[in-house]
Amino acid sequence: MSAKIIDGKALAATVRGKVADHVTRLTADHGITPGLAVVLVGEDPASQVYVRSKGKQTIEAGMKSVEHKLDADTSEADLLAVVAELNADPTIHGILVQLPLPKHLNEDLVINAIDPAKDVDGFHISNVGLLATGQKSMVPCTPLGCLMMLREHHGSLSGLNAVVIGRSNIVGKPMAQLLLGDSCTVTIAHSRTKDLPEVVRRADIVVAAVGRPEMVPGDWIAPGATVIDVGINRIERDGKNRLVGDVDFESAAAVAGAITPVPGGVGPMTIACLLANTLTACCRSNGLPEPEGLTA
């Protein structure tokens, strides 16, 4: 293996440290404590683990953490009422409704009911439009974390060829917008892309976000390219459950210049960027300077 491992755990710890330091100063100088509210509907085990981790890290960063746990059969009207209550609460600066929601609830309706200024997931249609037009917005956490890792490794991304594999609203599309904002030449590839391996081989940067285990083999990767693997897939191998990415790590690491592992790559950065977004939202709502190095 020749590739440098991009350590998401280490960078996430640095980001959380910067957030905590800024929160300490914010509270001491202005008497303001950023507040993050997470709404969980139902008892999805993965969501419960994720919400617990978010709450723990929010408190460790010196922020206010609020959790609303609702029954799986909660009505849309009751969920929207909780969102409206949080929109109106001046001590809450970030609102996150944990996805996926039970099937009887309209995710788009619920997301777009969140105050865009408090939409720390960056999924509200207003934030999507602002990002797409290069204006100040709340940026989705996972793409923001990927961008931070790329900037940390490369410094300037200007002029680099980037291929984003995947066109989801959560990762693929906003990732492409962020890379464009840093002056990359960006291609969005997907299942209908003709000669996908050749398209990927032209990239200096590959961001894989398709949700298919080890779909991208090493012979798709150009020598020296940087690979950001967003995928988290649970598979069974040799009688054991394992987490793997969308990239075949061993073969890709043999040719790439740098690569993120799974786990320990993009995942830790997602929650760190959620904290950063909450801090940014708090500063904006109070007319204070935004924290440096924690935004797009």
Side-chain angles (χ1 to χ4, degrees):
M1 181 173 65
S2 60
K4 175 186 177 182
I5 302 302
I6 299 176
D7 189 342
K9 286 183 179 179
L11 184 55
T14 298
V15 170
R16 292 196 307 271
K18 289 180 179 178
V19 169
D21 289 345
H22 201 101
V23 168
T24 298
R25 294 195 301 273
L26 196 63
T27 303
D29 296 345
H30 302 281
I32 300 168
T33 299
L36 173 63
V38 178
V39 181
L40 175 63
V41 184
E43 299 181 355
D44 178 76
S47 292
Q48 288 181 324
V49 170
Y50 198 44
V51 167
R52 279 198 300 271
S53 181
K54 288 173 181 173
K56 179 174 180 288
Q57 293 189 36
T58 301
I59 293 169
E60 288 175 349
M63 297 182 180
K64 174 183 177 179
S65 176
V66 175
E67 293 181 9
H68 287 267
K69 296 182 179 179
L70 308 179
D71 293 336
D73 59 358
T74 295
S75 70
E76 200 161 78
D78 287 344
L79 174 55
L80 290 172
V82 171
V83 171
E85 178 184 332
L86 294 170
N87 283 341
D89 187 342
T91 70
I92 297 298
H93 304 94
I95 303 170
L96 183 151
V97 177
Q98 183 66 40
L99 303 179
L101 290 172
K103 291 183 179 180
H104 70 282
L105 299 172
N106 184 328
E107 288 188 355
D108 289 338
L109 180 67
V110 173
I111 288 168
N112 289 320
I114 298 171
D115 179 347
K118 297 187 178 188
D119 167 39
V120 286
D121 253 343
F123 295 161
H124 191 288
I125 190 67
S126 294
N127 283 318
V128 173
L130 290 167
L131 177 61
T133 52
Q135 300 180 67
K136 184 181 292 187
S137 68
M138 298 306 301
V139 177
C141 302
T142 297
L144 179 58
C146 294
L147 182 69
M148 286 183 180
M149 288 192 287
L150 288 167
R151 286 174 173 172
E152 176 74 11
H153 177 67
H154 283 281
S156 172
L157 306 182
S158 180
L160 296 180
N161 290 319
V163 170
V164 179
I165 312 173
R167 49 181 167 175
S168 73
N169 293 331
I170 293 174
V171 180
K173 292 175 184 175
M175 187 74 249
Q177 297 291 351
L178 289 173
L179 290 167
L180 281 171
D182 269 28
S183 298
C184 290
T185 300
V186 182
T187 300
I188 301 179
H190 46 77
S191 60
R192 301 293 181 88
T193 299
K194 292 183 179 179
D195 199 4
L196 180 58
E198 189 57 36
V199 170
V200 177
R201 287 188 191 106
R202 293 197 294 267
D204 303 306
I205 295 169
V206 178
V207 180
V210 288
R212 291 177 57 184
E214 299 177 331
M215 170 188 162
V216 180
D219 63 7
W220 290 17
I221 305 300
T226 301
V227 179
I228 305 294
D229 191 350
V230 181
I232 301 178
N233 309 286
R234 193 174 296 277
I235 65 169
E236 184 174 321
R237 178 174 292 158
D238 301 327
K240 297 180 180 179
N241 284 324
R242 300 182 184 276
L243 286 178
V244 300
D246 292 347
V247 177
D248 178 30
F249 181 84
E250 293 301 327
S251 63
V255 294
I259 189 170
T260 59
V262 176
V266 174
M269 288 297 295
T270 297
I271 296 182
C273 288
L274 174 65
L275 303 180
N277 277 354
T278 303
L279 173 59
T280 297
C282 178
C283 291
R284 288 177 181 173
S285 70
N286 287 281
L288 298 170
E290 296 178 20
E292 292 185 7
L294 298 177
T295 62

